[in-house]
Amino acid sequence: MSKNSRKNRNARRAEVKARKLSASQNHTKEIPASPPPKRAEDGFEFSDEKKLTPICPDPDESFQPLSGYWVGRITETIMKHMERLSKTRQISLDLKYWRYTTKSILGQPSTETTVIVPAPAGSGKSTWILAFLLAIKELSAKSPELADALVGVAVILQKVDDLNGVADKLNESCLPDDPFMVPLQGWNTSGKRRGFCLNSGVDSYENCLRGACPYAHQCQILSFHEKALRAPVVGLTQERFYLLRQSGDLSSILQRIKPDGRSHPRRYILFDEKHLMAPVTGLSTAQINEASTEFNDIIQKYGASDTRVRRLEQWLDHVVKRKFQRIRKAQQTESGEDILVGFLGLSEQEGEDYQAYCDFRNFIQQHRKRYMSKPLSAVFDVMDCLYSGKPCLFTKTNGFCIYRIDPPQVHYDTTQAVIFDATAEVDMDYCCLADIKILSGTPKCMERRVTFHIHSHPSLNVSKSAMKKPWKLPAFGEYLTELISEEDRMVFLCTYKESSVELAGRLEKLLKEDFKRVLLMPNREPPMVPYFNGTNGSNSFKDAEMVIMLGYPRLDPPTYLAYACAACGEKRIADELAVIPEEIRIDRNFNILDLPTVREYVTHHLAARLEQEIYRCAQRNPDF
């Protein structure tokens, strides 16, 4: 090896040794990235530290979204309870769909958008609501910081029996004076069975003696409201919800008073079914007369004098009834013919009695518990609207009626609203609402096959007026007896309430084993078949595989007109009326349902109602 080659090799060795020494002196150990958690969602970004930090929202601030950690943990707890409830109830639910729905609800960034869940009947929405509440209770015990952050929940159900049933499950292991859920309610059969009111002589709010009752100290009904303000969960029926909303007391229920005495808004309000989002109040002469008549009841209830009652009746007659009649006569043509439909406002002359009206209203408000009745409340709602200068819808097609239509309300301050509505994509009640989010996707179910038999012969007309003919029910009784006896399936027969008792009686001529297959309204005496608007929220007919619809769940034309105004806006209806000549609007043959918007609303409403009724049967069972 030459001298130069050896020198070059030694130089290279020295260079390598120097690099190794330098590397050992300046070495910093690199930390490998943590492997993703097993339950990490697709698209999980590890750079987003908020998703990995279990920080709860601050209830002292405005609504703050839940972190990814809490969305995941609450979701898993809810799904655990859903699996348990499904096994207990022996039902098969699409848990993958409900996991997606749960994350969508919990992951809302603000309360500005109301979440609409269009889950079909029988897909498990009532099960989900119970699982959600059970999960909140479990997590509240394990994570007090989460309980403080969520504050509480308000849940709106249709039936008071369901409300009490949910409360029973949530209040297991709770002390009587410290319930987890308080079901707000009045004097009803369900509450009587549970001993909420021990006074057998009291069956309504008006009959309650309050402090003079010997059972007042142990009456749960009188203590419900105070307990509800402090309970994590408060439950209401839709009827109670409407009353609180109308009286302006709803906001107090949507707040919860914490043990430290501070009040915070509840995080969620859940509607088991769609509620009446746009309050509609109609005022007619019959309601004014009823309000006057009910003044007489205060003589017996509160010992009011005859003189006081006569003064109240005269006051109502002067500032309301006479005014109402003058307004009615003003909606006529120059020749004195009635305009059947339109919008009206008070003229300057008609508004002269405003101060007298205010004096009457203020007096009633000061003595609200004694004198305020439901008809009188409707009087004030509509007359206040008229005196405010706002044009009001009126109709004369079924007597003179003035309507107050308030804008639809689906947002409740800083409380996140969630509405479960199976027909949200069918009816038109959401068509003009911008700040809503109808969740996509539908639960999986078994393949279903439905056969429709439509009887369209003119003699088989089953409108309400046609059913009043004396031969109709006897004839249908005979025909239905033949149909049912030829089948071997459980039957869900739905008709009008006015026909339900007589029809049940006519079907009793069936053989005993055949009559047992006709599902009747539960716990009713005398027996009656199911009727429209009486089956809402019911699971009592889920074994039926034969459905007979004897009638249409239609509303009357003026009500459809008012609801179309509420859903689509009064301006849209006013524009359609404006192009109709006056000679047509005074014609007694003029049909409100011919207005394009009303006709469209009726079509969607009937489709939604018929779908709901049909889904009372075995179609609602996911594994059918």
Side-chain angles (χ1 to χ4, degrees):
M1 179 180 295
S2 67
K3 198 173 193 178
N4 287 337
S5 297
R6 189 180 295 112
K7 189 181 290 185
N8 290 338
R9 185 178 63 184
N10 291 338
R12 285 197 298 271
R13 285 177 177 173
E15 183 180 354
V16 170
K17 188 175 181 180
R19 283 202 305 268
K20 287 182 178 181
L21 179 61
S22 176
S24 64
Q25 291 175 345
N26 299 293
H27 178 67
T28 301
K29 187 176 181 180
E30 184 179 353
I31 302 176
S34 301
K38 293 181 180 180
R39 289 191 178 273
E41 302 176 32
D42 294 338
F44 193 93
E45 299 177 6
F46 292 95
S47 60
D48 190 349
E49 295 182 0
K50 291 184 179 179
K51 293 185 178 180
L52 300 175
T53 307
I55 298 176
C56 292
D58 185 352
D60 289 324
E61 301 295 333
S62 58
F63 183 93
Q64 296 176 337
L66 293 169
S67 67
Y69 170 84
W70 283 118
V71 169
R73 184 171 173 185
I74 297 173
T75 297
E76 293 307 318
T77 309
I78 292 173
M79 298 313 299
K80 177 187 69 176
H81 283 284
M82 280 209 78
E83 290 176 6
R84 291 177 180 174
L85 290 171
S86 298
K87 291 178 181 178
T88 302
R89 298 177 175 183
Q90 296 183 335
I91 55 177
S92 175
L93 300 177
D94 184 355
L95 298 182
K96 184 177 180 180
Y97 165 82
W98 285 111
R99 184 183 296 275
Y100 150 76
T101 299
T102 303
K103 289 181 179 178
S104 299
I105 293 171
L106 298 176
Q108 289 301 302
S110 72
T111 61
E112 295 176 359
T113 299
T114 294
V115 179
I116 315 296
V117 184
S123 60
K125 63 178 184 298
S126 297
T127 303
W128 184 90
I129 290 175
L130 179 57
F132 175 86
L133 297 176
L134 289 171
I136 296 299
K137 180 181 179 182
E138 177 185 332
L139 290 170
S140 297
K142 293 180 178 178
S143 306
E145 72 279 11
L146 179 64
D148 289 338
L150 297 181
V151 181
V153 180
V155 58
I156 317 298
L157 304 181
Q158 285 189 323
K159 296 183 179 295
V160 70
D161 277 327
D162 295 338
L163 205 63
N164 288 328
V166 172
D168 287 344
K169 290 182 173 61
L170 288 176
N171 290 333
E172 290 177 356
S173 74
C174 292
L175 296 174
D177 291 334
D178 189 25
F180 192 77
M181 174 180 174
V182 172
L184 276 182
Q185 58 196 280
W187 287 259
N188 51 66
T189 304
S190 177
K192 281 285 187 181
R193 288 198 302 264
R194 294 166 183 268
F196 291 160
C197 176
L198 301 177
N199 192 331
S200 59
V202 176
D203 58 2
S204 67
Y205 178 88
E206 291 78 12
N207 292 336
C208 178
L209 303 175
R210 303 297 187 276
C213 177
Y215 305 98
H217 66 286
Q218 51 185 323
C219 179
Q220 296 188 58
I221 291 180
L222 294 179
S223 66
F224 274 151
H225 188 82
E226 183 179 350
K227 288 181 179 178
L229 298 178
R230 300 183 179 278
V233 178
V234 58
L236 300 85
T237 61
Q238 282 195 359
E239 183 179 4
R240 176 57 64 94
F241 172 80
Y242 297 147
L243 290 174
L244 290 174
R245 183 175 64 182
Q246 183 182 33
S247 64
D249 295 329
L250 182 62
S251 58
S252 65
I253 295 300
L254 296 183
Q255 298 274 325
R256 181 188 171 199
I257 301 175
K258 294 292 194 67
D260 60 6
R262 293 188 300 167
S263 179
H264 298 294
R266 298 177 187 272
R267 188 173 182 90
Y268 296 104
I269 178 171
L270 309 177
F271 293 88
D272 185 47
E273 298 283 353
K274 178 181 65 181
H275 58 293
L276 185 61
M277 296 177 291
V280 175
T281 306
L283 181 61
S284 64
T285 301
Q287 286 174 299
I288 297 174
N289 290 338
E290 187 178 352
S292 180
T293 301
E294 290 195 1
F295 279 141
N296 287 296
D297 295 340
I298 67 176
I299 296 176
Q300 294 181 342
K301 289 180 184 176
Y302 304 110
S305 66
D306 291 344
T307 303
R308 168 60 62 85
V309 171
R310 282 197 302 272
R311 180 169 178 263
L312 289 172
E313 290 175 336
Q314 291 170 357
W315 210 349
L316 176 67
D317 182 75
H318 175 68
V319 302
V320 176
K321 190 172 184 177
R322 294 182 187 180
K323 173 75 65 180
F324 189 80
Q325 295 302 330
R326 288 200 298 269
I327 295 171
R328 181 194 181 285
K329 290 180 180 179
Q331 314 313 313
Q332 295 178 336
T333 63
E334 293 182 358
S335 59
E337 295 177 284
D338 283 335
I339 300 173
L340 299 180
V341 62
F343 288 84
L344 62 84
L346 291 183
S347 65
E348 183 176 345
Q349 182 180 0
E350 290 166 343
E352 289 178 352
D353 297 327
Y354 179 60
Q355 188 56 53
Y357 165 76
C358 287
D359 292 341
F360 173 64
R361 183 192 59 187
N362 293 339
F363 178 83
I364 296 295
Q365 292 286 356
Q366 290 170 8
H367 302 81
R368 186 177 185 89
K369 289 185 178 179
R370 284 175 173 258
Y371 302 148
M372 183 66 80
S373 62
K374 191 172 182 180
L376 195 56
S377 178
V379 167
F380 292 143
D381 279 350
V382 175
M383 296 303 294
D384 283 355
C385 189
L386 281 172
Y387 277 117
S388 72
K390 179 181 180 295
C392 293
L393 174 72
F394 76 90
T395 62
K396 290 186 180 181
T397 56
N398 189 22
F400 182 55
C401 188
I402 305 176
Y403 295 91
R404 171 176 179 161
I405 302 170
D406 292 327
Q409 182 183 10
V410 291
H411 304 292
Y412 299 93
D413 299 325
T414 54
T415 297
Q416 175 65 60
V418 182
I419 303 173
F420 293 84
D421 182 9
T423 61
E425 297 172 306
V426 179
D427 62 35
M428 291 179 61
D429 288 330
Y430 301 98
C431 65
C432 291
L433 298 179
D435 298 328
I436 62 169
K437 178 181 180 181
I438 300 180
L439 298 185
S440 60
T442 55
K444 291 182 180 179
C445 62
M446 301 290 287
E447 182 179 353
R448 300 174 179 182
R449 180 170 297 176
V450 181
T451 303
F452 289 91
H453 299 273
I454 302 173
H455 299 266
S456 57
H457 192 279
S459 297
L460 297 178
N461 182 3
V462 290
S463 66
K464 268 193 173 182
S465 58
M467 292 291 283
K468 293 178 181 178
K469 295 179 179 179
W471 63 270
K472 279 283 183 176
L473 278 179
F476 273 116
E478 294 290 338
Y479 185 44
L480 292 173
T481 298
E482 293 180 13
L483 285 178
I484 294 170
S485 61
E486 292 172 358
E487 297 287 339
D488 190 24
R489 296 178 290 178
M490 302 297 287
V491 178
F492 171 59
L493 165 61
C494 196
T495 187
Y496 304 111
K497 187 174 183 179
E498 297 82 355
S499 308
S500 58
V501 174
E502 182 178 345
L503 202 55
R506 293 190 176 279
L507 294 178
E508 286 182 341
K509 64 176 63 177
L510 284 162
L511 294 175
K512 191 174 182 179
E513 57 269 23
D514 288 336
F515 185 67
K516 285 183 177 180
R517 292 190 289 104
V518 180
L519 298 173
L520 303 176
M521 292 291 285
N523 304 318
R524 299 298 178 90
E525 192 60 41
M528 58 178 62
V529 298
Y531 55 86
F532 300 124
N533 295 324
T535 63
N536 293 346
S538 176
N539 286 317
S540 300
F541 316 107
K542 63 181 180 181
D543 295 326
E545 296 183 19
M546 180 179 182
V547 177
I548 302 174
M549 307 293 290
L550 192 66
Y552 302 107
R554 286 189 291 211
L555 307 173
D556 60 81
T559 301
Y560 268 131
L561 173 63
Y563 283 3
C565 277
C568 304
E570 292 172 278
K571 183 180 183 305
R572 182 166 165 182
I573 299 296
D575 290 345
E576 291 180 2
L577 287 172
V579 300
I580 299 176
E582 188 177 87
E583 60 266 22
I584 294 180
R585 285 198 287 150
I586 64 175
D587 188 342
R588 287 291 169 183
N589 294 321
F590 174 68
N591 190 352
I592 292 174
L593 302 182
D594 288 336
L595 292 171
T597 298
V598 180
R599 184 169 59 245
E600 184 182 9
Y601 186 89
V602 171
T603 302
H604 284 263
H605 176 267
L606 275 178
R609 292 306 310 154
L610 287 170
E611 178 184 319
Q612 282 289 80
E613 296 298 347
I614 292 171
Y615 265 81
R616 296 286 164 219
C617 70
Q619 287 288 329
R620 72 189 297 109
N621 304 329
D623 53 354
F624 173 65

